[in-house]
Amino acid sequence: MTVLEEKADIGIVGLGVMGSNLALNLADHGFRVALWNRSPEVAFELAAANPGAALVPARDLAELVQVLEPPRRILLMVRAGEAVDEVIDALRPLVSAGDVLADGGNSWYADTERREQRLAALGLHFCGMGVSGGEQGARLGPSIMPGGSAEAYARLAPLLESVAARTEHGACVAHLGPGGAGHFVKMVHNGIEYADLQLLAEAYDLMKRALGYDAPRMAEVFARWNEGPLGSFLVELTARVLRVTDPETGRPLVDVVLDQAGQKGTGRWTVSAALDLGVPIPSIAAAVDARALSAMVDERQLAARCIPVPAVLSASPSGGRHLEDAIHDALLASRAVAYAQGMALLRVASKAHGWSLDLAEVARVWTGGCILRARLLVPIMAAFRREPDLANLLLDPAFEAYARHTQAGWRDVLGAAHRHGIPTPALSAGLAYYDAYRSSRLPQNLIQAQRDAFGAHGYQRTDGADDALLHSEWLILDRKD
């Protein structure tokens, strides 16, 4: 029997960093993996570089399909968008009813639902599957968020559960729901990640500008924080990044990195989806806006020269260990609120799309392998196990304590930041959300009165017997007064 006649357990299309490392991960767990890449030599080079692995390179898609054990399982690891549709179109005449195609990229969830419906009509299964953990996660164990039909997941489960990260809470993979549920969950994961990264950047900026800490000292602070309730992959990563020295200048490498953050779109998608569903996620939106503002490098440099700094902002900021502890508390509270916003979005989306998301399972899947893995996910998981239909994490007594017990430091930090002109968009947005959510009455009564006055949009009374819209002639009544 030739190499190509030996049947493979799964095929991978697209052998970039993620696709290649997932292939090696699957091979490590005893699966035979067929490989194809748009540049076919990449598949043969990967197999040649790993002679002990059960990797079967194919010259074209027809050969890949031929070598797979039916019903076939094919994982697409290509760029989101048109490339996914192009591969599906190329595979469609080659595969058979009952075969499973899985998209492991960061696809827009509505595209996933469209593809699933299209392929279901042909008797094919399609699974939109979020994969988090980056290069290392793909190789050693990622967090995996599959959606689609239960039958499709049942076919993929033996492979996914073998290669996923594992924690004390189990394998970091679960069938999250039908349709685009998996990709929607991955999108929100990335949105919370945007907020988390921005919050860490703001904590770094406060320590640098308000406390005068250098990178090595900040590395020590983040490493210490990582031992407590802030413990997470991103806090640990921050400490490690801050310890790296630039070999060319001898300065901390972070200090010579241009202050312009890129983005691939999942943060914007999260904000867009939240707007469509009417769910406020201001911490995530602030993080997306902060990246957009960071890209305006030349304009910011001009503004720095043209807009004078008020005298009150010219004074040297004061601080010390009290402010350092307050920054810790502000970061902890703001992270808790960012998670609360993301989970609230998942809850509303699940109801709108009929996905029946188990938010405790979502938190469990995120406890290992993914970029968001953090100690904070354990109380989140517990909160949704206590009350699966919990409207907002801030309503859970144990979880709300994160914000309640830390808000004094949170407010102190923002006061100091505002006095000294240090931007804190995500920290500020989180506190504004917290204060608005806990307010029994907000000033939007004035907005509704204004809307009725200029546009006759109507309003409801607090003492009304029903929900009927009323209209008053505000400007005529004003003249009478």
Side-chain angles (χ1 to χ4, degrees), residues 182-414:
H183 273 145
F184 195 95
V185 169
K186 176 55 163 57
M187 177 191 76
V188 174
H189 166 285
N190 286 18
I192 299 172
E193 178 188 313
Y194 269 62
D196 207 355
L197 288 167
Q198 178 63 28
L199 290 166
L200 289 165
E202 291 174 20
Y204 155 84
D205 200 27
L206 284 161
M207 283 190 279
K208 183 175 183 178
R209 295 167 65 176
L211 293 175
Y213 288 5
D214 60 14
R217 184 168 181 182
M218 284 187 278
E220 293 175 3
V221 172
F222 279 109
R224 185 173 70 250
W225 288 354
N226 192 51
E227 299 301 315
L230 279 173
S232 70
F233 168 74
L234 286 176
V235 172
E236 177 189 358
L237 180 72
T238 303
R240 296 182 67 177
V241 164
L242 289 169
R243 285 198 292 263
V244 177
T245 301
D246 176 27
E248 295 183 17
T249 64
R251 298 169 57 195
L253 183 56
V254 69
D255 289 347
V256 298
V257 174
L258 182 66
D259 57 331
Q260 179 177 351
Q263 51 184 317
K264 293 185 177 179
T266 47
R268 293 194 302 269
W269 288 357
T270 307
V271 174
S272 176
L275 287 170
D276 289 342
L277 291 166
V279 180
I281 55 167
S283 300
I284 298 171
V288 173
D289 287 343
R291 292 200 192 188
L293 189 57
S294 79
M296 300 163 58
V297 178
D298 293 340
E299 199 169 335
R300 287 190 291 108
Q301 295 299 326
L302 176 63
R305 295 192 297 272
C306 296
I307 301 176
V309 179
V312 68
L313 301 184
S314 301
S316 298
S318 59
R321 187 58 186 264
H322 167 74
L323 185 55
E324 180 188 307
D325 290 342
I327 294 170
H328 169 280
D329 288 352
L331 181 56
L332 179 59
S334 298
R335 293 180 97 192
V337 167
Y339 274 102
Q341 293 169 20
M343 297 308 248
L345 174 56
L346 288 176
R347 185 184 70 86
V348 173
S350 178
K351 290 187 175 181
H353 296 285
W355 290 333
S356 299
L357 287 176
D358 182 338
L359 297 184
E361 270 293 272
V362 171
R364 187 192 66 77
V365 167
W366 289 350
T367 58
C370 71
I371 304 302
L372 280 186
R373 59 188 186 268
R375 288 193 182 94
L376 197 57
L377 285 161
V378 177
I380 293 174
M381 183 171 57
F384 285 111
R385 284 180 174 167
R386 281 190 294 270
E387 190 174 345
D389 294 326
L390 184 66
N392 191 294
L393 280 167
L394 294 177
L395 299 176
D396 178 77
F399 195 87
E400 187 272 337
Y402 280 102
R404 177 164 38 87
H405 293 319
T406 56
Q407 65 174 292
W410 200 1
R411 295 179 194 280
D412 286 349
V413 163
L414 292 180

Side-chain angles (χ1 to χ4, degrees), residues 453-478:
F454 71 67
H457 293 291
Y459 65 92
Q460 296 163 292
R461 293 180 61 95
T462 58
D463 56 0
D466 54 38
D467 294 332
L469 282 177
L470 305 174
H471 170 62
S472 294
E473 296 294 343
W474 299 85
L475 303 185
I476 294 175
L477 292 170
D478 174 57

Side-chain angles (χ1 to χ4, degrees), residues 1-323:
M1 181 179 288
T2 67
V3 171
L4 283 175
E5 288 173 335
E6 297 178 45
K7 295 299 183 183
D9 300 295
I10 187 170
I12 294 185
V13 174
L15 298 173
V17 171
M18 291 294 287
S20 296
N21 281 344
L22 280 172
L24 294 171
N25 190 349
L26 284 159
D28 285 347
H29 286 84
F31 298 105
R32 180 171 291 277
V33 186
L35 309 172
W36 183 80
N37 194 71
R38 185 172 57 179
S39 300
E41 63 273 11
V42 173
F44 287 87
E45 290 168 0
L46 181 63
N50 298 274
L55 302 177
V56 185
R59 287 181 287 270
D60 53 37
L61 285 175
E63 199 169 73
L64 177 91
V65 171
Q66 178 188 356
V67 78
L68 290 172
E69 183 71 37
R72 303 172 186 88
R73 295 170 287 197
I74 302 175
L75 174 58
L76 313 184
M77 295 300 298
V78 299
R79 185 183 297 275
E82 293 181 1
V84 178
D85 289 310
E86 290 171 359
V87 172
I88 291 172
D89 288 342
L91 283 169
R92 194 174 52 172
L94 304 172
V95 294
S96 305
D99 290 350
V100 179
L101 305 184
D103 174 15
N106 283 330
S107 289
W108 174 239
Y109 79 98
D111 286 342
T112 299
E113 298 202 323
R114 168 180 58 80
R115 290 163 184 150
E116 183 188 29
Q117 292 168 9
R118 175 189 173 202
L119 293 175
L122 303 174
L124 298 167
H125 298 289
F126 187 75
C127 171
M129 189 173 79
V131 180
S132 178
E135 178 180 357
Q136 185 177 29
R139 184 68 184 86
L140 302 177
S143 172
I144 308 175
M145 295 153 261
S149 70
E151 186 177 351
Y153 180 71
R155 288 276 299 125
L156 294 168
L159 294 88
L160 301 183
E161 292 172 7
S162 294
V163 301
R166 299 193 75 85
T167 69
E168 61 187 292
H169 308 291
C172 295
V173 59
H175 179 229
L176 297 179
H183 273 145
F184 195 95
V185 169
K186 176 55 163 57
M187 177 191 76
V188 174
H189 166 285
N190 286 18
I192 299 172
E193 178 188 313
Y194 269 62
D196 207 355
L197 288 167
Q198 178 63 28
L199 290 166
L200 289 165
E202 291 174 20
Y204 155 84
D205 200 27
L206 284 161
M207 283 190 279
K208 183 175 183 178
R209 295 167 65 176
L211 293 175
Y213 288 5
D214 60 14
R217 184 168 181 182
M218 284 187 278
E220 293 175 3
V221 172
F222 279 109
R224 185 173 70 250
W225 288 354
N226 192 51
E227 299 301 315
L230 279 173
S232 70
F233 168 74
L234 286 176
V235 172
E236 177 189 358
L237 180 72
T238 303
R240 296 182 67 177
V241 164
L242 289 169
R243 285 198 292 263
V244 177
T245 301
D246 176 27
E248 295 183 17
T249 64
R251 298 169 57 195
L253 183 56
V254 69
D255 289 347
V256 298
V257 174
L258 182 66
D259 57 331
Q260 179 177 351
Q263 51 184 317
K264 293 185 177 179
T266 47
R268 293 194 302 269
W269 288 357
T270 307
V271 174
S272 176
L275 287 170
D276 289 342
L277 291 166
V279 180
I281 55 167
S283 300
I284 298 171
V288 173
D289 287 343
R291 292 200 192 188
L293 189 57
S294 79
M296 300 163 58
V297 178
D298 293 340
E299 199 169 335
R300 287 190 291 108
Q301 295 299 326
L302 176 63
R305 295 192 297 272
C306 296
I307 301 176
V309 179
V312 68
L313 301 184
S314 301
S316 298
S318 59
R321 187 58 186 264
H322 167 74
L323 185 55

